[in-house]
Amino acid sequence: MDELTLINPVEQKNWNNLLLNTPGCSFFYTAVWADVLIRSYNYQPFYFCQKQKNGLDCLLPIMEVASPLTGKRGVCLPFTDFCEPLAVNKDQFQELIGRAIELGRKRNWKYLEIRGGEQYLAKEKPSQVFWGHELDLSCGQQQLLSSLRASTRRNIKKAQNEKVEVQISNSPSALQEFCRLNVLTRREHGLPPQPDRFFQNLYDLVITQNMGFVSTAYVSGQIIAANVYLHFDKEVIYKYGASDRQYQHLRANNLVMWEAIKWSSNKGFQRMVFGRTEPEHQGLMQFKAGWGAKTYRICYYKYDLKQKAFVSKPGSIHPVMNNMFSKLPLAVLQTLGRLLYRHMG
């Protein structure tokens, strides 16, 4: 067994193969996701791990976000819905956290954020709590259909009756259409969109490598909704969704998701996870629960290096800023996304 070491996964040629033999790993631990974050936002990777045989005995992946606007900190991992530290027991977990805190002191981090770890940090108060949803795909398409909430089945049927069609694709044009819709959706939510270079890197490094796909819905030749999915091993992650609100009555979002679920099941994937959802977003909670998915908690923990303690200080955009972003012209909002997004990690 090797000792606990610090590595850059992008420089490890067999990194993803090691993950395949490591229980608990998902797409977010892969070298390609690390590469996307590094190239898009210039973050510096610090992955603590311990190799054993053909896999990893433990893993704590961290990116350093060095921002003059929001401070310097370590995050496990930025723009990642969940990233459980992988350890076989509490002692090993404490060693991982201790090494990360030690590194943070040397590099003058304000704090260390762990996006997961409730198993070992149950006595600490989380800085934020989200809900996750996981759908078992192994039961087959017929069981998946019967597990849908009645309203979800009606919405799927509604979209089909309205002649909405869905295509599963890994083409650059499909991702471009998603990006167009994403700007509209982000403005509705009062948020700047991710920069174009992020999605270009996602396409070049992930989708072209058959580790992701785009599900698009269109009617009369017009694409009105699109989702981006990422996958690794037996798991598919629903990462991004966007749509044109003026077509909301056609229920295209439901058909886009259903066709992606069927496609994933037919390809042999065992589960689909739906990212994170804020507890106050009841509409999104209901949408995800309607697929028969299992609900679970996702806790974020923030260790303040100055106070030497875990603190409850959620980081979020102020409602006043949300209101301002929602009223900006699309071109201005995209410019702000290019300028500000990396500071939000």
Side-chain angles (χ1 to χ4, degrees):
M1 185 190 306
D2 295 338
E3 296 299 318
L4 193 64
T5 56
L6 189 60
I7 64 132
N8 179 348
V10 177
E11 298 173 352
Q12 305 291 314
K13 291 185 178 179
N14 67 332
W15 180 253
N16 288 352
N17 289 332
L18 291 174
L19 296 182
L20 289 173
N21 296 306
T22 304
C25 281
S26 75
F27 172 86
F28 291 135
Y29 300 85
T30 64
V32 291
W33 182 239
D35 207 6
V36 168
L37 294 176
I38 293 166
R39 295 192 190 200
S40 301
Y41 304 116
N42 198 32
Y43 296 151
Q44 187 166 350
F46 296 97
Y47 283 43
F48 290 95
C49 68
Q50 183 171 290
K51 297 179 182 178
Q52 187 178 41
K53 296 181 181 178
N54 296 320
L56 299 173
D57 192 48
C58 63
L59 173 63
L60 179 63
I62 297 172
M63 291 277 177
E64 179 180 273
V65 180
S67 167
L69 299 181
T70 56
K72 192 176 185 182
R73 68 271 191 191
V75 182
C76 171
L77 284 167
F79 305 121
T80 301
D81 305 277
F82 50 86
C83 195
E84 290 282 342
L86 303 180
V88 297
N89 54 46
K90 188 171 183 178
D91 289 341
Q92 193 177 63
F93 174 82
Q94 292 294 348
E95 182 181 3
L96 286 169
I97 296 297
R99 287 286 298 275
I101 291 172
E102 181 183 352
L103 175 68
R105 290 197 181 103
K106 290 179 181 178
R107 299 192 62 84
N108 297 314
W109 293 349
K110 289 171 56 180
Y111 61 82
L112 168 68
E113 182 178 79
I114 307 297
R115 299 187 170 184
E118 185 178 15
Q119 177 183 358
Y120 299 115
L121 294 170
K123 293 183 179 179
E124 305 291 346
K125 187 175 182 181
S127 59
Q128 292 176 281
V129 177
F130 303 94
W131 290 107
H133 295 81
E134 181 177 311
L135 179 63
D136 180 7
L137 299 175
S138 65
C139 59
Q141 193 174 131
Q142 191 58 45
Q143 182 60 41
L144 286 167
L145 180 61
S146 63
S147 297
L148 300 180
R149 184 183 292 156
S151 59
T152 302
R153 284 197 295 269
R154 287 195 301 271
N155 286 335
I156 292 171
K157 191 66 175 176
K158 164 77 171 176
Q160 292 170 335
N161 290 338
E162 294 287 352
K163 308 302 182 185
V164 176
E165 298 182 70
V166 172
Q167 184 176 22
I168 305 294
S169 174
N170 59 1
S171 71
S173 60
L175 189 63
Q176 288 168 4
E177 285 295 327
F178 165 81
C179 290
R180 176 183 63 81
L181 294 170
N182 186 52
V183 178
L184 299 175
T185 300
R186 297 287 288 184
R187 184 169 67 174
E188 285 177 21
H189 295 161
L191 296 167
Q194 298 88 345
D196 292 340
R197 67 176 177 275
F198 167 78
F199 285 114
Q200 186 61 57
N201 286 327
L202 192 71
Y203 182 79
D204 293 341
L205 300 172
V206 177
I207 295 178
T208 62
Q209 300 304 309
N210 293 319
M211 295 179 71
F213 62 91
V214 185
S215 180
T216 57
Y218 57 96
V219 63
S220 300
Q222 173 74 24
I223 292 181
I224 60 175
N227 292 347
V228 175
Y229 299 84
L230 311 173
H231 55 80
F232 179 72
D233 197 13
K234 298 298 183 181
E235 181 180 88
V236 178
I237 298 172
Y238 163 48
K239 186 66 175 98
Y240 305 107
S243 60
D244 190 331
R245 192 174 181 83
Q246 67 176 317
Y247 296 98
Q248 188 176 24
H249 64 285
L250 300 182
R251 300 294 184 258
N253 291 334
N254 294 87
L255 191 58
V256 163
M257 183 67 77
W258 175 237
E259 292 298 330
I261 288 171
K262 291 197 300 179
W263 183 92
S264 299
S265 177
N266 290 338
K267 290 293 184 179
F269 291 102
Q270 298 295 299
R271 62 188 173 275
M272 178 180 288
V273 292
F274 292 74
R276 72 180 197 191
T277 308
E278 289 81 357
E280 61 270 20
H281 288 178
Q282 288 300 310
L284 187 55
M285 285 282 291
Q286 291 296 318
F287 175 79
K288 292 180 178 180
W291 301 99
K294 175 186 174 183
T295 304
Y296 59 94
R297 286 197 348 156
I298 302 173
C299 294
Y300 288 12
Y301 296 90
K302 186 177 290 187
Y303 184 87
D304 188 299
L305 274 81
K306 187 174 182 180
Q307 297 186 37
K308 298 181 180 180
F310 285 95
V311 296
S312 179
K313 294 180 179 178
S316 59
I317 296 178
H318 194 277
V320 172
M321 295 296 291
N322 289 129
N323 186 52
M324 182 193 75
F325 287 141
S326 68
K327 296 178 180 178
L328 291 174
L330 295 179
V332 175
L333 196 64
Q334 287 177 289
T335 299
L336 288 175
R338 286 193 293 270
L339 295 174
L340 300 178
Y341 211 83
R342 70 171 304 273
H343 303 285
M344 299 162 59

